[in-house]
Amino acid sequence: MTTGIVPKSSRMHSRVVIIGSGPAGAHGSHLPCAREPRTCQLTTTTEIENFPGFPTGIMGPELMDKFREQSARFGTTIITETVSKIDLSARPFRYWREMQEDEEPETADTVIIATGASAKRLGLPGEDTYWQSGISACAVCDGAVPIFRNKPLAVIGGGDSAAEEATYLTKYGSHVYVLVRKGELRASKIMAKRLLNNPKITVLWNTVATECVGDGDLLSSLKIKNLTTGEITNLPVNGLFYAVGHEPATALVRGQVQTDPDGYIITVPGTTQTSVKGVFAAGDVQDKRYRQAITSAGTGCMAALEAERLIAEEEELAAEAL
Ligand code: NDP
């Protein structure tokens, strides 16, 4: 909870500041507030097949442009800069933009944190060449694209994401190989059972990928290594999906709002309220389960409504006190 009131600075003061430029940030944008875009996952993805309103899919960067256009139409001030420091210990909250840390901070009555999470990559040889040309970190976002249809695919990871993504990919691929670096899965029992019982899935135990191989345009196989025997073989696959975990972008607020052991911001169930009154969290920064553009947009909308309501309530109380 907040602990006191600091004087408002002479610099910009906003009623709502949204930090983040992805779908969670964009959907709060009917509010007249400043927001600080940073690189969103949609800018590095290709086609998004599951965002409502786009029956034939839409490219990630194009969807981002539309978010921006829509925000601008509602008068949102969009500031393309990184927030380097924030103080959530008192209201109004204070934040500093990159390169301005020695200056007076800017202030906000409420803050929506929508900084997202990034999928971990493995940095394999060939990974950069075939990223989004056969390699992806989101089966649900990318699995349906034509290059994966009726083709052999691979998933790396042994957690719930790997189990879920591999099972999902069986709808599109001819066969799915799951590369697990140990001799056991980390996934929950029910998810593991579903994975192991699927005839279209083969788990390659104690196996890691060592290189992504292709024709320069598209991925066509993986070099894989059996860690028990040391044997290196070639696995022909046209798709590789990483499911080796995500990193929530919470460094900015670490220690200031409650997070779970993996660093995700904890919100009151059914709301976007964090452990600090007036600070809301939306999108992947508080969601390790769904991680879709549309679910992010949904929680972004919730955060905007909650911030708006809090401000209105506080204004009413202030008016009554006069
Ligand atoms: P996890 O951290 O649970 O699993 C990551 C997996 O990737 C582990 O099997 C790990 O192997 C493997 N891995 C990590 N680094 C490497 C590497 N360098 N090379 C090869 N393999 C590697 O992440 P998830 O995204 O699966 O899950 C995160 C959280 O979200 C969990 O709490 C999970 O339960 C939850 N979740 C729930 C879902 C649901 O209920 N529907 C769906 C998806 C996620 P190792 O085991 O050897 O460490």
Side-chain angles (χ1 to χ4, degrees):
M1 298 296 282
T2 54
T3 51
I5 300 290
V6 294
K8 289 184 180 180
S9 88
S10 56
R11 293 172 64 83
M12 185 168 82
H13 176 76
S14 308
R15 298 168 90 197
V16 187
V17 162
I18 304 173
I19 306 174
S21 65
H27 277 255
S29 60
H30 65 283
L31 295 169
C33 51
R35 73 190 169 95
E36 308 280 345
R38 55 193 294 284
T39 308
C40 149
Q41 284 188 90
L42 292 189
T43 59
T44 56
T45 191
T46 49
E47 196 143 16
I48 296 158
E49 300 278 6
N50 65 350
F51 203 91
F54 300 96
T56 55
I58 181 165
M59 300 304 279
E62 194 188 337
L63 186 60
M64 286 299 303
D65 286 345
K66 286 185 185 292
F67 289 161
R68 226 182 144 83
E69 222 176 280
Q70 195 169 2
S71 303
R73 189 162 69 85
F74 284 100
T76 304
T77 308
I78 300 171
I79 304 165
T80 307
E81 223 169 24
T82 302
V83 173
S84 55
K85 203 166 102 180
I86 193 160
D87 178 1
L88 302 175
S89 63
R91 292 175 75 196
F93 303 118
R94 301 184 305 153
Y95 65 97
W96 290 258
R97 296 201 231 149
E98 203 168 53
M99 317 297 287
Q100 294 180 332
E101 286 191 34
D102 296 335
E103 296 179 23
E104 271 277 278
E106 285 166 8
T107 53
D109 292 328
T110 58
V111 172
I112 297 174
I113 302 163
T115 45
S118 45
K120 289 184 194 158
R121 295 193 191 185
L122 296 182
L124 297 175
E127 179 181 299
D128 284 346
T129 310
Y130 300 109
W131 187 256
Q132 293 300 336
S133 296
I135 309 178
S136 159
C138 179
V140 180
C141 325
D142 299 328
V145 304
I147 57 168
F148 301 131
R149 295 278 169 121
N150 301 314
K151 299 279 172 46
L153 308 172
V155 172
I156 299 180
D160 280 334
S161 293
E164 195 168 71
E165 305 228 331
T167 307
Y168 178 82
L169 287 169
T170 58
K171 285 202 274 182
Y172 303 105
S174 56
H175 198 82
V176 180
Y177 298 91
V178 181
L179 278 58
V180 179
R181 65 180 172 180
K182 290 184 189 154
E184 60 186 4
L185 293 167
R186 184 195 286 241
S188 57
K189 268 196 183 139
I190 175 84
M191 305 274 273
K193 193 172 164 201
R194 215 174 285 158
L195 177 86
L196 297 170
N197 286 344
N198 193 317
K200 283 184 82 179
I201 296 176
T202 302
V203 176
L204 302 174
W205 301 105
N206 303 301
T207 300
V208 293
T210 57
E211 191 179 339
C212 308
V213 183
D215 61 5
D217 287 329
L218 290 173
L219 180 83
S220 58
S221 68
L222 292 179
K223 274 195 184 149
I224 59 169
K225 183 176 180 181
N226 182 311
L227 296 174
T228 314
T229 62
E231 191 188 6
I232 294 180
T233 50
N234 197 52
L235 179 71
V237 286
N238 298 88
L240 168 63
F241 294 83
Y242 284 155
V244 292
H246 283 71
E247 201 75 63
T250 44
L252 188 66
V253 294
R254 195 156 296 148
Q256 301 196 68
V257 295
Q258 220 181 333
T259 52
D260 75 5
D262 296 322
Y264 288 86
I265 296 177
I266 296 173
T267 52
V268 176
T271 77
T272 61
Q273 176 62 59
T274 69
S275 56
V276 177
K277 188 177 181 188
V279 179
F280 305 89
D284 291 8
V285 76
Q286 52 85 56
D287 167 29
K288 63 168 91 161
R289 184 159 182 182
Y290 300 105
R291 298 192 190 110
Q292 300 301 301
I294 184 57
T295 48
S296 284
T299 51
C301 177
M302 286 164 65
L305 292 173
E306 286 166 17
E308 208 169 30
R309 271 181 207 149
L310 179 69
I311 290 168
E313 276 166 24
E314 290 181 340
E315 280 177 354
E316 266 172 42
L317 283 176
E320 278 169 21
L322 284 180

